Amino acid sequence: MTGIPPVVLDRASGTALSVQLADALRAAAAGGALRPGDRLPSTRELAAALRVSRTVTSAAYDQLLAEGWAGGRRGVGTFVLGAVPSTPAAPRPGRGPGAPAPALVDLRAGSPCLEVLDRAAWRRAWRAAGDQPPDLRPDPAGDPAFRAAVGDHLLRHRGLVAGPDDVLATAGTSAAVGEVARILPPGSRVAVEDPGYSRAVAALRDAGIEVVPVPVDDDGLVVDALPGGLAAVYCTPAHQFPTGRRMSAARRLALVTRARAEGWWVLEDDYDGELRFDVAPLPLLGALGPDVVVHLGTSSKILSPTLGVGWLVAPAPLRADLLARRTATAIRPARAGQRVLAALAASGDLARHLRRLRREMAGRREQVRAAVAAAGCVAEGDPAGAHLVVQLADPATEEAVRADAARRGLALDGLGRHHQGNGPDRRAGLVLGFAAPTRAELDRALPVLTAVLRAAGRGSGEHEHQPGQRDGQSQPQQHPERTAPAPSVGPQP
Amino acid sequence: MTGIPPVVLDRASGTALSVQLADALRAAAAGGALRPGDRLPSTRELAAALRVSRTVTSAAYDQLLAEGWAGGRRGVGTFVLGAVPSTPAAPRPGRGPGAPAPALVDLRAGSPCLEVLDRAAWRRAWRAAGDQPPDLRPDPAGDPAFRAAVGDHLLRHRGLVAGPDDVLATAGTSAAVGEVARILPPGSRVAVEDPGYSRAVAALRDAGIEVVPVPVDDDGLVVDALPGGLAAVYCTPAHQFPTGRRMSAARRLALVTRARAEGWWVLEDDYDGELRFDVAPLPLLGALGPDVVVHLGTSSKILSPTLGVGWLVAPAPLRADLLARRTATAIRPARAGQRVLAALAASGDLARHLRRLRREMAGRREQVRAAVAAAGCVAEGDPAGAHLVVQLADPATEEAVRADAARRGLALDGLGRHHQGNGPDRRAGLVLGFAAPTRAELDRALPVLTAVLRAAGRGSGEHEHQPGQRDGQSQPQQHPERTAPAPSVGPQP
């Protein structure tokens, strides 16, 4: 372990001590006092040495970890990592040959973009939340100001009319899926998209639900492939996860019509619905079928999972069942994050943040598409959200690309693991998330991504893949994004 | 609805707008501009009129509602209630004869004492929490600073040695009980105390657990009455809920010994373990049996359910299973409240608050005991926590007392509903919580409580009840609290 670096903190300054400390440590690294591989003192040691609380040192380390400047693991320690090398890194001293380098840039999907989050607005919101009195007996539906803010948000950004009483606060999408699953009759079957969001599938199984995988194509969930005897269908119509397609209007109508006819619920997971870069979005399922649809949203992708806050708009009888369960068990979403989100909405900071985020994600998306194209591959997905998909020849290629990338310090997510099984429809490829890295990290990572894809192309043959015919459907491709050449596995040299 | 009352807010003041607004409304009532029964403008209308955000008006109304100054229901409106009359209130205009008055003072157990919570400390903690950067991919175990703070708290206040890695953050006790229940094998049987904490029982049932009620006596859970074939036992050893007794040292050892021998887990719910007014507490089950005990704590009773934060200390294999489930489902406790609690602990404000709270609860407990004694009844329970128990002759008397109290504006909780069934061991009585009301409310409520109990005594005969012999046990009563005369149902005139 390196000694305690020289740090001077100004307690009279308006800058948080943790921010000052992170700045000082970065400066120490820039000045050579700390070098890559150096082990930092523990948060406890540093707190004692600087006479600050561990909250301060932990926050500073968290920031440095989030930036990728430091890396570490509980019990082992925190190490200075420094910048990601733009060329493959030489093995570090003390590291066995061939061992993967630490994942310095993480291109997996599902995390938010902290870089565009205005930290001053974030602080203001916490302050405003703290100005409110603590609750004695909180309403199990959630904080009233939060529910009103969600109603405004849904109207403004998603075209869904929902008053505060139509909204329930949730502890996030998975928790909400679990809640709904637990008020279904025992032994219920719920259809899910395949490939699909594995956490929701796990939440359903965790609630004792029998999960029925149903294929997706370029128009989203294949409604005709839904079996009978369902209690509910879980889907991601705005931006199918992971394929990145939106559900067509015809499918939306068919889904809601069948739900009504057969008496099941539709769980509409609108996880990144606020991020759409082209045309006006199609009507939400929640707007087409307010009597049969449970609309689910979350702040985890657009702000931070720190808040642990989501929302749900559901028909009144289902809402009543959910509230009855919350009251009986006292299991209900925490209010602290609800208050922060309500304050962000009330100040207008949330709307400003979403504008910035949309701009940033649209720009990054183009950057990733270009990097993938530079390797002769095609990045698929509608102009929306914070991820793109690159299809690859087969699971072996997917695995090879991910391993190669890991060796070069790039964490990539495989497409295959988003399938439920190993059937013939199983796709192989990459799901490229671009929200989590900083701009600088992305700039460093994308040439590596191009190189990795290019190397994979040299290592494998070509492979003709025809999306949209997987499930026997053959629809005209009207969307400009969909006229891209069918992705070939391995780049064209 | 009354018009918008004249309110002048000083935006340059250091006092939060919501606090200024609540003050102004109280002043308007004192000056006669608002009178009991007046309907207040909606938070939206008032926000528009005063040009403040709805967060401000909602917070002000929440405060007034929490104080019992205003009452209301979503969709109907918020009404000025004014002070609780110390004599039975005459029916209000517009209210049918015999209809219960609004419950102006709530003596039910389970809520915290907001009155001794230092609002400046609360604000500081939220501010400190907001100074920390948002999380990108939060550790499913919880915020590291929070877990370290819980470790310190457990060592200082509960004599349990737990490092940050031994602690998991939870979303509160019920949520934690549910989490543990879901990693038990399907069809597991879990024993619970009868009478016991109904929310935990509901959380277990919700997870598909078969719940087995087991009697309690003055020494807590009757360990000898536990059947075989269990997966776990849930209990409240520090302060049995609702009877208010602590589990004897012999029972604690017997419980842990049997858990080891028979291979089940013990869930130790330490919901108000910080509140002990006499001797040093007995060793925690978690200290006696760290290999078999899941120790559960919460901030909901000592601070506010707003935080939605609890903690769990469990053997490593069980912790690993819990973390695996959290990772797979992405269902995990929100971090916002964890950060606030960690900040309260780091500043020393939590320790100060607990000292104040302990003093306050000890004083209130004596006040309630005196009010019950003035009616010739006995308030039972160890010198701990924030509730006392008065046993009554039978369910009919319990119901009559509760109904009479409700007519006089007092919300009381029956003892009977904390039993699982209607067996011959079912107790009748009251569970009197004294944390939630303000001091002024308690001062007004206790004479009403005395009067209600006295009236019940006149209406029913005497009844000899012998606690401690319920389950065939007859232990010497060594504790001073336990030498009180056996409670007679109905007071002695």
Side-chain angles (χ1 to χ4, degrees):
Chain A
M1 192 197 78
T2 187
I4 310 280
V7 171
V8 179
L9 301 177
D10 175 7
R11 278 153 216 275
S13 148
T15 307
L17 290 176
S18 61
V19 174
Q20 293 185 44
L21 176 56
D23 288 343
L25 292 173
R26 272 193 229 91
L34 288 174
R35 283 189 299 200
D38 277 352
R39 182 168 159 211
L40 293 172
S42 74
T43 52
R44 191 182 289 274
E45 291 162 341
L46 191 56
L50 301 177
R51 298 176 186 273
V52 296
S53 79
R54 282 192 66 197
T55 310
V56 169
T57 53
S58 296
Y61 279 23
D62 284 352
Q63 175 61 32
L64 296 171
L65 288 162
E67 291 171 4
W69 181 93
R73 223 159 50 80
R74 252 184 302 147
V76 175
T78 305
F79 294 86
V80 178
L81 295 178
V84 183
S86 55
T87 53
R92 297 190 184 184
R95 202 181 284 277
L104 299 186
V105 180
D106 196 333
L107 289 186
R108 292 173 300 179
S111 293
C113 178
L114 300 185
E115 197 172 30
V116 301
L117 183 56
D118 176 1
R119 289 289 301 282
W122 175 259
R123 279 197 200 93
R124 273 198 301 276
W126 283 77
R127 200 160 297 196
D131 284 344
Q132 291 169 65
D135 294 290
L136 195 56
R137 294 186 188 87
D139 183 343
D143 185 73
F146 168 79
R147 290 184 286 120
V150 167
D152 291 346
H153 175 83
L154 288 171
L155 184 62
R156 197 195 289 214
H157 297 284
R158 307 300 290 130
L160 186 66
V161 179
D165 290 354
D166 302 318
V167 176
L168 295 193
T170 73
T173 299
S174 284
V177 167
E179 280 192 271
V180 173
R182 279 176 226 290
I183 60 170
L184 298 176
S188 285
R189 301 171 78 212
V190 174
V192 301
E193 298 166 331
D194 188 40
Y197 180 48
S198 62
R199 300 282 167 77
V201 173
L204 289 166
R205 291 221 168 96
D206 182 70
I209 296 290
E210 187 191 336
V211 170
V212 185
V214 171
V216 300
D217 62 18
D218 285 1
D219 285 327
L221 179 78
V222 181
V223 176
D224 286 347
L226 287 170
L230 295 174
V233 172
Y234 164 87
C235 56
T236 50
H239 192 220
Q240 204 276 329
F241 190 84
T243 64
R245 301 303 195 183
R246 80 175 152 200
M247 189 182 287
S248 68
R251 290 270 175 88
R252 288 171 195 242
L253 278 171
L255 187 63
V256 167
T257 304
R258 261 193 81 174
R260 280 199 189 107
E262 301 180 18
W264 33 260
W265 304 107
V266 179
L267 276 65
E268 174 178 44
D269 181 355
D270 198 48
Y271 64 102
D272 66 1
E274 294 87 354
L275 300 178
R276 188 87 212 172
F277 315 135
D278 55 350
V279 293
L282 292 176
L284 289 185
L285 294 178
L288 291 172
D291 50 330
V292 291
V293 174
V294 182
H295 177 83
L296 303 170
T298 179
S299 65
S300 295
K301 315 294 181 204
I302 53 172
L303 283 163
S304 162
T306 299
L307 300 183
V309 165
W311 50 87
L312 170 164
V313 178
L318 197 137
R319 237 164 43 225
D321 286 352
L322 291 172
L323 285 176
R325 177 177 173 268
R326 289 184 181 184
T327 302
T329 61
I331 299 176
R332 56 190 169 215
R335 283 183 104 100
Q338 296 171 34
R339 290 184 167 194
V340 175
L341 192 105
L344 274 170
S347 63
D349 283 319
L350 178 61
R352 273 188 289 279
H353 169 70
L354 286 174
R355 281 195 294 275
R356 263 199 313 273
L357 182 64
R358 214 174 280 123
R359 241 184 350 254
E360 177 76 16
M361 290 303 103
R364 291 187 179 196
R365 184 174 176 279
E366 283 316 305
Q367 230 187 317
V368 173
R369 277 168 54 83
V372 170
C377 294
V378 175
E380 301 176 71
D382 285 1
H387 75 273
L388 282 162
V389 167
V390 177
Q391 298 209 37
L392 295 171
D394 48 46
T397 308
E398 175 186 308
E399 203 36 54
V401 167
R402 291 186 60 223
D404 187 20
R407 275 190 298 274
R408 306 193 198 203
L410 213 58
L412 298 181
D413 184 21
L415 179 56
R417 74 170 188 91
H418 299 286
H419 278 278
Q420 291 305 309
N422 267 312
D425 284 346
R426 187 183 169 107
R427 292 164 171 90
L430 301 175
V431 181
L432 299 170
F434 43 81
T438 62
R439 244 164 267 149
E441 284 175 333
L442 199 65
D443 288 344
R444 291 195 302 263
L446 290 182
V448 180
L449 176 67
T450 303
V452 165
L453 285 172
R454 201 172 272 153
R458 281 195 295 273
S460 76
E462 286 190 27
H463 170 96
E464 200 61 26
H465 169 72
Q466 302 189 335
Q469 301 190 350
R470 186 174 298 281
D471 45 27
Q473 308 248 340
S474 181
Q475 310 240 349
Q477 302 195 331
Q478 293 169 337
H479 194 284
E481 296 294 327
R482 300 181 186 184
T483 59
S488 57
V489 171
Q492 333 277 333
Chain B
M1 192 197 79
T2 186
I4 310 279
V7 171
V8 179
L9 300 178
D10 176 6
R11 277 153 216 275
S13 146
T15 307
L17 290 176
S18 61
V19 174
Q20 293 185 44
L21 177 55
D23 288 343
L25 291 174
R26 271 193 229 91
L34 288 174
R35 282 190 298 199
D38 277 350
R39 183 169 158 209
L40 293 172
S42 74
T43 53
R44 191 182 290 275
E45 290 162 342
L46 191 56
L50 301 177
R51 298 176 186 275
V52 296
S53 80
R54 281 191 67 197
T55 309
V56 169
T57 53
S58 296
Y61 280 23
D62 283 353
Q63 175 61 31
L64 296 171
L65 288 162
E67 293 171 3
W69 182 93
R73 224 158 49 80
R74 254 184 300 146
V76 176
T78 306
F79 294 87
V80 178
L81 295 179
V84 183
S86 55
T87 52
R92 297 191 182 183
R95 202 181 284 274
L104 299 186
V105 180
D106 197 333
L107 289 187
R108 292 173 299 179
S111 293
C113 178
L114 300 186
E115 198 172 30
V116 301
L117 183 56
D118 177 0
R119 290 289 301 282
W122 174 260
R123 278 198 201 91
R124 274 198 302 275
W126 283 78
R127 199 161 298 196
D131 283 344
Q132 292 168 64
D135 295 290
L136 196 56
R137 295 185 189 87
D139 182 344
D143 185 74
F146 168 78
R147 289 184 286 120
V150 167
D152 290 347
H153 174 84
L154 288 171
L155 184 62
R156 197 194 290 214
H157 296 284
R158 307 301 290 129
L160 186 67
V161 179
D165 290 355
D166 303 318
V167 175
L168 296 193
T170 73
T173 299
S174 285
V177 167
E179 280 192 271
V180 173
R182 280 176 225 291
I183 59 170
L184 298 177
S188 285
R189 301 171 78 212
V190 174
V192 300
E193 297 165 332
D194 187 39
Y197 180 48
S198 63
R199 301 281 168 76
V201 173
L204 288 166
R205 291 222 168 94
D206 182 71
I209 296 292
E210 187 192 335
V211 170
V212 185
V214 171
V216 300
D217 62 18
D218 284 2
D219 285 327
L221 179 78
V222 181
V223 176
D224 286 346
L226 288 170
L230 296 174
V233 172
Y234 164 87
C235 55
T236 50
H239 193 218
Q240 204 276 331
F241 190 84
T243 62
R245 301 305 195 180
R246 80 178 152 197
M247 188 182 287
S248 67
R251 290 270 174 90
R252 287 171 196 243
L253 279 171
L255 187 63
V256 166
T257 305
R258 261 193 81 174
R260 279 197 190 109
E262 301 180 18
W264 33 261
W265 303 109
V266 179
L267 276 65
E268 173 178 44
D269 181 355
D270 198 49
Y271 65 101
D272 66 1
E274 294 87 355
L275 301 178
R276 187 87 211 172
F277 313 136
D278 55 351
V279 293
L282 292 176
L284 289 185
L285 294 178
L288 291 173
D291 50 330
V292 291
V293 173
V294 182
H295 177 84
L296 303 170
T298 179
S299 65
S300 295
K301 314 295 180 204
I302 52 172
L303 284 162
S304 162
T306 298
L307 300 183
V309 164
W311 49 87
L312 169 164
V313 178
L318 197 137
R319 236 164 44 225
D321 285 353
L322 292 171
L323 286 176
R325 177 176 172 268
R326 289 184 182 183
T327 302
T329 62
I331 300 176
R332 56 190 169 214
R335 282 183 104 99
Q338 296 171 35
R339 291 183 167 197
V340 175
L341 192 106
L344 274 171
S347 64
D349 283 319
L350 178 61
R352 273 187 289 278
H353 169 71
L354 286 175
R355 279 195 296 273
R356 263 198 313 274
L357 183 63
R358 214 174 281 122
R359 237 183 353 251
E360 177 77 16
M361 290 302 103
R364 291 187 179 197
R365 183 173 177 280
E366 283 316 307
Q367 229 186 318
V368 173
R369 276 169 53 83
V372 170
C377 294
V378 175
E380 300 175 72
D382 285 1
H387 75 273
L388 282 162
V389 167
V390 177
Q391 298 209 38
L392 294 172
D394 47 46
T397 308
E398 175 185 309
E399 203 35 55
V401 167
R402 292 185 60 223
D404 186 20
R407 274 191 298 273
R408 306 192 197 204
L410 213 57
L412 298 181
D413 184 21
L415 179 56
R417 74 170 189 90
H418 299 286
H419 278 277
Q420 291 305 308
N422 266 313
D425 284 346
R426 187 182 170 108
R427 292 165 170 90
L430 301 175
V431 181
L432 299 171
F434 43 80
T438 62
R439 243 164 268 149
E441 284 175 334
L442 199 65
D443 289 343
R444 289 195 302 263
L446 290 182
V448 180
L449 176 66
T450 303
V452 165
L453 285 173
R454 203 172 270 156
R458 281 194 296 273
S460 76
E462 286 189 28
H463 171 94
E464 200 60 25
H465 169 70
Q466 302 189 334
Q469 300 191 350
R470 187 173 298 282
D471 45 26
Q473 308 248 341
S474 179
Q475 310 239 350
Q477 301 195 334
Q478 293 169 334
H479 194 285
E481 295 295 325
R482 299 181 186 183
T483 60
S488 58
V489 170
Q492 332 279 332

